[in-house]
Amino acid sequence: MIRINEIKLSLDEEEIELNKKAAKILKVNEKYISSLTIFKKSIDARKKDDVHFTYAVDVTLSLDEEQIVSKIKSNKVSIVKPYIYEIPENKRNSKYRPIVVGFGPAGMLAGIILAEAGLRPIILERGKDIDARQKDVNEFWTKRKLDEESNVQFGEGGAGTFSDGKLTTGIKSPFIRKVLQELYEAGAPEEILYSAKPHIGTDRLAIVVKNIRKKIESLGGEVRLESKLEKLIVYNNFVQGITYSHHGKTIDMETDSVIMAIGHSARDTVEMLFNLGVEIIQKPFSVGARIEHPQSLINKAQYGDFAGHKKLGAADYKLSCHGLHERGAYTFCMCPGGTVVAAASEKEGVIVNGMSSLARDGENANSALLVGIEPCDFPSDHPLAGIYYQREIEHKAFELAGGDYRAPAQLVGDFLLGKESKSLGNVNPTCPTGVTLTSLDECLPNKVSLTMKSAIVEMDKKLNGFNLYDAVLTAPETRSSSSVRILRDEFCQCKISGIYPCGEGAGYAGGIVSAAVDGIKCAHAVLSDEH
């Protein structure tokens, strides 16, 4: 197979033209192309008068491919082998079924691998199935009635289910392809396999999550919903079993392998592990707010006169700068045409996130504007101090906004001037529980507020209009990543043998794809454990 990089198509050209352009680059007749598939597709908007698509394509020929490539003097053309995931050999001698705790991205992929290996995993998820969960989330958003076990953080699919379904990642791993293939086979759009900025969309994620559960079950695994891990049964530093609760009943189960894919909001589970003596250390995390602009402003800033072209859709952005704080500030999880999400999972706490549908056709764009918090900023050196710090910020926001799960909000212009907002401008906030206009300085740490103010001014130099006076900041965003790392060895086990800390909650991932990849790694570790 031949890969050709950097093929350009204008917005007026159709993808069928790729065949002709590939043939020209390879200096062969188009009739010798047996197949052409898109490997990567991205928008190049660096020059506002020449916005176009750039492709990498994989081509198979009915000719000697190596001979063809040897005649082409270009580093844009190379021979590649198609990626094929191979499940490792199962070296386990155990009679017990492995258990996975958590059915978010890490737990889902760990479950798939273990099920494909014939180990019939049992997956415990404290929240409800996706349909019941959606009803509970809507009840919270419309009536502000929070279910602490079924919400934006907990339930089938994990926290990523109520997000943009963004699949961009900074990690490098061959398992990324396996993750994307599984998501596509479960119902995600085909473009996630080749888009440079793939996303699934909140509306499509529910279908994907259900189908992954069905696949695991079809391979002999079980997904036990509304089943909350209560404790680990440990003897001589080896896990012997678990205790979980289900509808008021307590159930013990023997096992020697538990993948802890608990997510970043299962604070009670982290405390249980800490009390067991599991080694946990502080980890940097970030705090900030969601910033909302009109999507039309972002489109114009990114695409110039091409804004609104049907092939381009809603524009996104990714910004960073070094402000007053050593880690600076950055935008994260940008949701084109999306909404701000009320994402609380604990009583008397307010947090926000962002999501968008597959179509990304909402009026506003939103993104997290975050500032790094280092362990030296934590209130103590306790391993869980970051969790307690997050909770403190979330509780302050709850009280500041009126104590009914509305979120505190402020116009960007007022925030920069240091004055409390009294009325909205031309941007309507989308947080479904509503907002209370106030001063975010009252709930955000001083270092965060100062750095955000500096960053907004700097980021406007990179994206015209970012400091729009009427843009809305809704706070706080505190759970973009975990504030702890649960230590594990080269075999992915913590100091208790048979316990595998996994994914974002354990401090080894920072998004859907990286969490899913870590789920695969931990499943491989279970398969290679010969005890």
Side-chain angles (χ1 to χ4, degrees):
M1 187 167 71
I2 301 172
R3 180 162 298 155
I4 309 172
N5 291 303
E6 297 182 35
I7 300 181
K8 174 181 171 181
L9 285 187
S10 72
L11 300 186
D12 296 326
E13 291 180 295
E14 300 299 326
E15 288 182 348
I16 191 68
E17 294 294 318
L18 290 171
N19 285 56
K20 186 183 296 183
K21 295 196 175 195
K24 184 177 180 181
I25 292 169
L26 296 175
K27 300 176 182 178
V28 299
N29 191 299
E30 193 177 335
K31 69 181 182 180
Y32 294 118
I33 295 180
S34 303
S35 69
L36 182 148
T37 57
I38 299 170
F39 178 73
K40 190 69 71 178
K41 176 183 179 180
S42 59
I43 299 171
D44 187 338
R46 289 172 294 178
K47 297 179 179 178
K48 297 297 180 274
D49 61 347
D50 181 26
V51 177
H52 60 271
F53 292 107
T54 300
Y55 293 80
V57 300
D58 289 336
V59 177
T60 57
L61 301 177
S62 58
L63 299 170
D64 186 326
E65 294 180 351
E66 293 199 6
Q67 186 179 52
I68 295 295
V69 170
S70 68
K71 295 178 180 178
I72 298 170
K73 308 301 181 186
S74 171
N75 58 8
K76 297 177 183 178
V77 180
S78 60
I79 297 287
V80 295
K81 292 182 179 180
Y83 171 76
I84 300 173
Y85 170 77
E86 293 183 1
I87 199 161
E89 177 188 356
N90 177 18
K91 297 181 179 179
R92 279 171 60 86
N93 296 312
S94 173
K95 65 180 180 180
Y96 298 113
R97 297 167 70 178
I99 291 173
V100 178
V101 181
F103 198 55
M108 287 191 288
L109 266 293
I112 286 174
I113 301 305
L114 295 175
E116 288 180 336
L119 297 187
R120 301 169 56 242
I122 296 171
I123 303 171
L124 305 180
E125 168 54 54
R126 67 194 292 170
K128 298 179 182 178
D129 69 83
I130 188 63
D131 293 328
R133 182 186 179 197
Q134 285 177 324
K135 290 178 183 177
D136 291 335
V137 168
N138 287 330
E139 179 89 353
F140 174 56
W141 286 349
T142 56
K143 301 178 181 178
R144 303 180 197 145
K145 293 181 180 179
L146 176 66
D147 185 331
E148 289 186 277
E149 298 298 341
S150 180
N151 47 60
V152 169
Q153 307 297 340
F154 300 140
E156 183 177 26
T161 306
F162 290 91
S163 71
D164 189 53
K166 217 175 307 300
L167 303 177
T168 48
T169 180
I171 67 167
K172 303 290 184 185
S173 170
F175 300 145
I176 291 173
R177 196 69 186 168
K178 170 67 170 173
V179 172
L180 297 178
Q181 287 171 346
E182 289 293 342
L183 294 171
Y184 168 60
E185 289 172 13
E190 185 179 12
E191 54 260 35
I192 71 164
L193 297 176
Y194 56 78
S195 173
K197 297 179 179 178
H199 86 289
I200 300 175
T202 312
D203 46 343
R204 188 72 75 90
L205 275 164
I207 298 167
V208 171
V209 167
K210 283 183 192 178
N211 287 336
I212 288 175
R213 167 163 47 98
K214 290 175 182 176
K215 175 173 182 174
I216 291 170
E217 291 170 342
S218 73
L219 293 169
E222 293 180 52
V223 179
R224 299 184 183 179
L225 298 160
E226 299 179 70
S227 297
K228 180 182 176 182
L229 177 70
E230 299 292 348
K231 69 176 183 178
L232 298 171
I233 302 168
V234 178
Y235 182 72
N236 279 349
N237 226 37
F238 284 82
V239 66
Q240 306 289 312
I242 65 159
T243 300
Y244 73 94
S245 57
H246 175 71
H247 291 178
K249 295 181 180 179
T250 301
I251 301 159
D252 291 334
M253 188 187 311
E254 288 186 279
T255 188
D256 53 15
S257 299
V258 183
I259 293 178
M260 300 291 291
I262 58 177
H264 57 40
S265 291
R267 293 165 168 171
D268 50 357
T269 307
V270 173
E271 288 182 322
M272 180 267 289
L273 292 172
F274 178 74
N275 291 332
L276 265 179
V278 172
E279 292 179 285
I280 299 175
I281 62 171
Q282 297 179 343
K283 185 179 85 56
F285 68 102
S286 297
V287 173
R290 281 272 150 184
I291 184 167
E292 288 191 89
H293 298 91
Q295 182 62 51
S296 57
L297 180 149
I298 305 301
N299 292 345
K300 184 68 176 176
Q302 296 293 67
Y303 298 148
D305 292 340
F306 291 92
H309 194 288
K310 63 181 181 180
K311 285 187 179 180
L312 291 174
D316 65 3
Y317 60 81
K318 184 177 182 181
L319 304 170
S320 64
C321 66
H322 291 287
L324 301 175
H325 181 245
E326 64 230 28
R327 288 185 71 199
Y330 62 100
T331 63
F332 176 78
C333 186
M334 192 272 163
C335 298
T339 60
V340 171
V341 176
S345 61
E346 294 182 347
K347 296 287 188 185
E348 299 186 355
V350 164
I351 60 170
V352 293
N353 196 356
M355 74 178 191
S356 52
S357 66
L358 181 60
R360 290 177 161 176
D361 54 1
E363 186 176 325
N364 288 359
N366 78 80
S367 175
L369 176 58
L370 300 176
V371 176
I373 299 289
E374 300 288 344
C376 61
D377 300 316
F378 294 1
S380 77
D381 59 2
H382 190 283
L384 307 189
I387 289 177
Y388 305 145
Y389 195 25
Q390 288 173 321
R391 186 178 281 147
E392 178 187 334
I393 295 166
E394 293 161 12
H395 184 65
K396 276 186 182 178
F398 177 81
E399 292 185 327
L400 180 64
D404 60 0
Y405 296 105
R406 284 177 294 170
Q410 190 174 14
L411 301 190
V412 163
D414 293 338
F415 180 65
L416 294 177
L417 293 173
K419 69 176 188 177
E420 181 179 328
S421 289
K422 299 292 187 181
S423 61
L424 293 169
N426 293 321
V427 179
N428 292 315
T430 57
C431 182
T433 52
V435 301
T436 298
L437 292 176
T438 182
S439 170
L440 297 187
D441 292 338
E442 299 299 315
C443 68
L444 295 175
N446 186 54
K447 182 181 291 187
V448 172
S449 287
L450 290 175
T451 306
M452 284 173 60
K453 289 171 184 177
S454 170
I456 288 169
V457 174
E458 289 301 310
M459 289 176 179
D460 184 70
K461 298 174 184 177
K462 301 177 182 180
L463 194 153
N464 187 35
F466 193 79
N467 69 349
L468 178 73
Y469 197 110
D470 286 354
V472 177
L473 288 163
T474 308
E477 175 131 355
T478 53
R479 300 198 202 169
S480 60
S481 63
S482 177
S483 61
V484 298
R485 174 165 287 128
I486 305 171
L487 296 185
R488 67 189 190 191
D489 61 20
E490 67 270 30
F491 306 108
C492 295
Q493 298 184 55
C494 71
K495 65 182 293 185
I496 300 174
S497 294
I499 301 297
Y500 300 80
C502 179
E504 195 163 329
Y508 295 97
I512 290 175
V513 171
S514 59
V517 165
D518 203 55
I520 294 174
K521 288 180 183 176
C522 288
H524 285 193
V526 171
L527 290 171
S528 65
D529 192 347
E530 299 184 35
H531 79 274

